[in-house]
Amino acid sequence: MTAPTTAQRLSIAKSMQQVHGKLRPMIEVKAEIEPKAKAFLLEHFGNETLFKRTAYSTGFTDGGLQASPPLARMLANFIRNDACPEITVKTLMAGQKYEGAGMWDIQCFEFVAKRAFDGLTELAEGVQGFLAPAVYFGHGVAPAVAAFHADTALEMAVRPAAIAVGGIKGMADAA
């Protein structure tokens, strides 16, 4: 993938707000990604789910960002609760607010939003395949090495080698 023109980031703002006469903890998250990927995702995959509580009913053991032990216990209850919101491409990029019953709810939603953002960045990388052709060099091949080989092949196709390789041993023959 080419370097993004905009830094991919998840903005997180927490505050206390008056709701029905009570001061309640609130959190708002909003994702920013590369503009072309954002436009493509919103047009074609806006409703793609980034976080669905039923997908994590057994926890977050699939790798990626992991919760601390105290947060993990609270997440188990948060995920089972019907009030646990789903997060989609559209809601995360537009900005999504959540009103918690307490501080643990806010911490749980923040964790979930971060996991959703990781999914969004994965989708943004996948969009590049729609915007330009991609090349796969195989599992375990370092991208820098693969890029070097691809660049060298392009350069060699344009002009012949300055030194011909000859002989049985493949030694350079400058003569």
Side-chain angles (χ1 to χ4, degrees):
M1 186 172 114
T2 59
T5 56
T6 302
Q8 298 185 97
R9 65 179 177 216
L10 180 66
S11 298
I12 303 166
K14 298 175 189 176
S15 63
M16 296 298 289
Q17 294 185 11
Q18 285 282 354
V19 179
H20 303 295
K22 286 185 167 184
L23 205 53
R24 304 291 299 235
M26 298 282 284
I27 183 170
E28 182 175 6
V29 294
K30 184 175 182 181
E32 295 178 36
I33 61 171
E34 194 272 326
K36 288 181 183 176
K38 177 181 180 178
F40 187 87
L41 284 171
L42 287 175
E43 182 178 349
H44 301 290
F45 299 101
N47 293 323
E48 194 79 26
T49 304
L50 298 172
F51 176 79
K52 188 173 189 169
R53 68 187 185 92
T54 55
Y56 295 101
S57 60
T58 59
F60 295 91
T61 58
D62 59 346
L65 180 66
Q66 294 297 307
S68 66
L71 183 59
R73 288 188 290 275
M74 300 315 260
L75 269 169
N77 292 328
F78 184 76
I79 299 300
R80 284 189 216 111
N81 189 337
D82 289 338
C84 177
E86 287 191 353
I87 300 175
T88 66
V89 167
K90 191 183 306 181
T91 60
L92 193 58
M93 286 201 279
Q96 189 163 348
K97 288 184 180 181
Y98 178 75
E99 173 189 336
M103 187 61 183
W104 281 115
D105 284 350
I106 298 300
Q107 293 298 99
C108 289
F109 182 78
E110 180 178 354
F111 176 83
V112 164
K114 288 176 180 178
R115 289 289 299 246
F117 179 73
D118 290 343
L120 178 64
T121 59
E122 180 92 11
L123 290 179
E125 286 180 22
V127 163
Q128 298 308 315
F130 288 93
L131 302 176
V135 177
Y136 178 69
F137 292 99
H139 178 72
V141 176
V145 172
F148 172 77
H149 288 300
D151 186 49
T152 302
L154 284 173
E155 287 175 3
M156 295 302 288
V158 174
R159 62 182 185 269
I163 298 176
V165 176
I168 297 175
K169 294 183 181 178
M171 304 280 292
D173 183 10

